[in-house]
Amino acid sequence: MNVFVAGGSGFVGRSLCRVLVDRGHGVTAASRTPDPSELPADVEAVSVDVTDPDLDDAVAGHDAVVNLVALPSHVQARGRSHESVHADGTRHLVAASERTGVDRFVQLSGLGVDSDVETAYFKAKRRAERIVRESSLEWVIFRPSVIFGDGCAFVPFLERLAPPLVIPLPGGGQTPLQPIWVEDLTPLIADGLTEDRHVGNAYEIGGPEWLTLAEIVTRVRDGVVVPIPMALTAVLAALVDPLPWIPVGRDQYRALTLENTTTDDALAAFDVDPDSLRPFSADVPSEGKISAASSEPVRRERRTDGERYTSAEPQRGDEPHTDGKRPDRESGVHP
């Protein structure tokens, strides 16, 4: 199979290209500024901007297209908007795929896209999913939780959000996240390309453990979490929204009301045992601790579905959320 990977030289793309090459597929990695040195030797790297409405020449000759192109959800986009990259970019890729005879289209979306949270990121991602679903192509959609691994974009956001020593977090950072390692996710995406049983499905994917935002932050910063009331966060976010160097604006505040976990994990559809996945807590040892000053104490509870755990249930309206990526030492744009 010849596969066109839009966003192929990005965080998720590099991993997916390695998986596809190892499985014997022909791969074209497309991005605005591809770096062939970061890709397997057998991958063809091409320069493509998905905001270009005519992508026929780039897509032609491929059996399948994977769309990984994205802006991080926590980015307050300037110039290249979520709408132009996520929605219009998907529309251009789908149209080119239909015109050039592509059979299968795989879309990387995000957990929570089907919620009623209104942010520029979620609205554009919802529109992108509709475009894929309404196409004439065989389609598969993946909605992962937080993805961690080398080259993700989450840690720069966390470092901006959380100063050392004293770490103010909206609501105390109590909302659970379900991080999944990029090297565990990309084989599933590759399966979606080749296995007919996945066609027409949207899969919510999470990792083997649930961690609160505060637990994740204190793996990046050694400090004490100080809770900021959500009502105050809303006021501050509105005031600083026009300032691009402030990490939490109105959209980020709205996203804080949404959990980034799934209770309907789709791993079984890929015959994957959750216990075989790499846990975030083992990958990034804790460097700090959560202070008793938090509005809700962290309480880990064994769940019935294996070794996962969750924290104390947050009160509605006090549920901080981030949809960025893994605390890692290399910045980058997802995927």
Side-chain angles (χ1 to χ4, degrees), residues 4 19 36 38 41 45 55-56 72 108 169 180 205 217 224 247 255-256 314 321:
F4 183 88
V19 172
E38 295 186 344
L55 300 176
D56 289 21
L108 186 65
L169 290 180
I180 183 164
I205 304 292
V217 165
V224 174
L256 292 176
H321 160 83

Side-chain angles (χ1 to χ4, degrees), residues 30-65:
S31 66
R32 286 195 300 160
T33 56
D35 184 354
S37 68
E38 295 186 344
L39 296 166
D42 293 335
V43 172
E44 179 184 3
V46 297
S47 179
V48 171
D49 188 338
V50 297
T51 62
D52 182 345
D54 184 4
L55 300 176
D56 289 21
D57 289 344
V59 171
H62 295 88
D63 304 301
V65 169

Side-chain angles (χ1 to χ4, degrees), residues 84-167:
S84 66
V85 172
H86 297 137
D88 292 341
T90 299
R91 176 165 56 84
H92 299 156
L93 282 170
V94 165
S97 299
E98 291 176 321
R99 289 192 295 260
T100 60
V102 168
D103 295 320
R104 189 161 302 182
F105 195 98
V106 175
Q107 177 83 356
L108 186 65
S109 189
L111 196 59
V113 165
D114 62 341
S115 71
D116 58 359
V117 173
E118 293 295 322
T119 69
Y121 174 85
F122 281 126
K123 286 188 286 188
K125 282 287 194 179
R126 286 186 202 116
R127 183 182 167 199
E129 285 198 9
R130 287 197 301 270
I131 291 167
V132 173
R133 290 172 180 271
E134 294 170 1
S135 73
S136 62
L137 304 167
E138 298 177 348
W139 57 265
V140 186
I141 295 171
F142 288 88
R143 296 173 181 159
S145 183
V146 173
I147 309 171
F148 67 94
D150 291 338
C152 58
F154 192 31
V155 70
F157 171 73
L158 287 181
E159 289 174 340
R160 293 170 61 202
L161 177 69
L165 302 181
V166 177
I167 306 172

